[in-house]
Amino acid sequence: MKHQINLKGKSFLTLLDYTPEEIIYLLDYTQALKKKKKAGIKGRLLEGKNIVLLFEKTSTRTRCAFEVAGYDEGAQITFLSNSQMGKKESIEDTAKVLGRFYDGIEFRGFQQKTVEALAEYSGVPVFNGLTDQYHPTQILADFLTIRENFGKLQGLRLAYVGDARNNVCNSLMIGCAKLGMHFVAVGPRSLWPEEDLHSKMVDLAKTTGGSIVLSDDPTTGVQGADILYTDVWVSMGEEDQMEERIRLLHPYQVNRAMVEATGNPEVIFLHCLPAFHDTHTAVSQEVYEKYGLKEMEVSDDVFRSEKSKVFDEAENRMHTIKAVMCALLADNDEMSK
Ligand code: CP
Ligand code: NVA
């Protein structure tokens, strides 16, 4: 497949920096790479490239996705979770050093301005593996999973339920606005997205045929949804707010009643994972009992139902991250063949 798009040398910090065509290009690139991997073909697109994975926060999927994706295409990977950055050394100096060693830098951590500074001072492409504000690589995997299930993205209705001011919700809202999807954030008003981003996305969606709506009603808010999406009620770094979030969010649990409330027999369930869906992941039995909960943001039966595509979505993290690294770093573009 021939594409005119060239992303070589660009960073991947937020979907705000990418056009709809570029996002679709990354999804198409992923499809080609996924097909290649399933056919057992070893790639060499990242041969000779050194990539460092800089982690301030914990991870299973994102770290492993970057490592496996990189190795599949011949890259050398360094995992770094105990650097001097922010302790004995500034972000600027760290970026300048890493930029001399590496061809690309992945960062997962707290502040969006850290990933932006790494890109500014390193001189090499930087990939945002999650900050407090955005989680852009996650949304590529979500959109690929949606496209695999529905054969399209444009015009679909995605209801994101729960903590609607977190990184995943922000990035989903941007992605939906860019690709002409109907996005509804369903949660209590105190957890609605920040107004500035929300109003910009409302305006953007008007130009793409999509729409962005906020609702605090867990029944009407999800009506007509093709995709029900939720995330943890407490993101990394906010653990001290657990009880307050349970109090605010327990009416917004994704369960069978909510699936029914969509009125759509074809609805699918997505979650970026990790998920609090059973007692194995119970954070506090005492808090659960106080609110009569067995699970948190999603009931175990929905999580394990045939509607749930969460493990396809998790697998797609690896394929989509591979496409991002190849599109931004590779000398030879798989898509131009
Ligand atoms: N979805 C996601 O980012 O998972 P990890 O926190 O395990 O990387
Ligand atoms: N919102 C979650 C996403 C985890 C992948 C967090 O930031 O912890």
Side-chain angles (χ1 to χ4, degrees):
M1 193 187 310
K2 282 230 181 274
H3 265 279
Q4 300 307 318
I5 289 167
N6 181 2
L7 299 177
K8 181 97 198 284
K10 200 174 152 108
S11 282
F12 192 73
L13 306 181
T14 161
L15 291 175
L16 291 170
D17 300 338
Y18 279 71
T19 65
E21 294 72 26
E22 288 169 342
I23 296 170
I24 296 293
Y25 166 78
L26 289 171
L27 297 179
D28 291 346
Y29 201 151
T30 305
Q31 245 179 330
L33 291 170
K34 186 170 175 179
K35 201 169 148 197
K36 183 168 108 177
K37 168 113 175 164
K38 300 279 177 195
I41 302 166
K42 186 93 186 132
R44 300 175 60 180
L45 289 166
L46 297 172
E47 211 166 60
K49 304 290 179 194
N50 289 294
I51 299 163
V52 61
L53 313 182
L54 197 51
F55 278 76
E56 288 178 347
K57 290 180 176 176
T58 53
S59 169
T60 297
R61 277 145 292 271
T62 308
R63 180 210 171 154
C64 297
F66 271 96
E67 291 211 21
V68 172
Y71 292 134
D72 276 354
E73 290 293 337
Q76 310 286 330
I77 311 279
T78 305
F79 174 69
L80 188 57
S81 61
N82 56 351
S83 78
Q84 310 282 21
M85 188 174 80
K87 299 174 201 112
K88 288 163 71 180
E89 195 163 34
S90 67
I91 299 163
E92 179 178 342
D93 291 359
T94 308
K96 286 175 176 167
V97 172
L98 294 178
R100 287 181 183 232
F101 284 32
Y102 292 97
D103 302 288
I105 301 170
E106 182 273 358
F107 172 77
R108 165 172 286 202
F110 294 90
Q111 300 198 39
Q112 181 68 16
K113 68 177 188 212
T114 305
V115 81
E116 283 164 6
L118 285 170
E120 184 182 346
Y121 295 112
S122 68
V124 297
V126 173
F127 316 110
N128 181 354
L130 179 148
T131 60
D132 290 345
Q133 212 171 339
Y134 300 121
H135 196 6
T137 62
Q138 177 67 50
I139 277 54
L140 293 180
D142 302 340
F143 282 5
L144 183 72
T145 312
I146 294 168
R147 203 169 73 169
E148 287 172 342
N149 276 274
F150 293 97
K152 63 174 188 177
L153 290 162
Q154 176 115 29
L156 292 177
R157 179 171 296 276
L158 187 152
Y160 172 94
V161 187
D163 175 12
R165 39 141 296 292
N166 77 10
N167 40 22
V168 169
C169 183
N170 286 340
S171 290
L172 276 172
M173 182 165 63
I174 298 166
C176 288
K178 295 233 169 199
L179 295 186
M181 296 168 72
H182 301 291
F183 177 83
V184 192
V186 185
R189 284 166 188 264
S190 59
L191 294 176
W192 278 1
E194 194 233 316
E195 187 39 37
D196 184 48
L197 179 66
H198 168 242
S199 58
K200 282 193 181 112
M201 292 309 108
V202 168
D203 291 344
L204 177 62
K206 285 181 189 148
T207 69
T208 63
S211 61
I212 306 290
V213 170
L214 306 179
S215 167
D216 62 1
D217 188 322
T219 307
T220 57
V222 302
Q223 245 166 37
D226 298 295
I227 304 108
L228 260 186
Y229 196 121
T230 193
D231 185 9
V232 288
W233 289 345
V234 176
S235 286
M236 289 179 273
E238 300 178 331
E239 287 76 8
D240 60 334
Q241 295 177 47
M242 182 64 80
E243 186 159 357
E244 167 72 353
R245 289 294 171 74
I246 291 177
R247 188 181 66 72
L248 284 168
L249 287 168
H250 75 272
Y252 297 90
Q253 183 187 71
V254 177
N255 49 32
R256 278 194 194 273
M258 188 178 279
V259 171
E260 288 293 311
T262 66
N264 180 359
E266 308 302 325
V267 67
I268 63 166
F269 170 70
L270 296 182
H271 189 310
C272 55
L273 305 184
F276 291 89
H277 65 90
D278 58 20
T279 44
H280 299 297
T281 46
V283 271
S284 160
Q285 212 52 52
E286 201 184 315
V287 182
Y288 272 31
E289 276 163 22
K290 185 165 170 187
Y291 290 91
L293 291 169
K294 289 201 308 294
E295 316 101 339
M296 286 181 47
E297 72 273 8
V298 56
S299 64
D300 198 48
D301 55 359
V302 169
F303 185 87
R304 293 178 193 274
S305 72
E306 83 290 347
K307 302 214 158 291
S308 173
K309 308 296 175 194
V310 295
F311 294 109
D312 294 336
E313 183 186 9
E315 177 189 331
N316 283 338
R317 295 298 310 289
M318 195 279 289
H319 302 297
T320 43
I321 281 172
K322 189 186 285 179
V324 171
M325 286 195 292
C326 290
L328 276 51
L329 292 182
D331 301 317
N332 299 312
D333 184 350
E334 182 86 6
M335 296 295 285
S336 61
K337 281 182 194 161

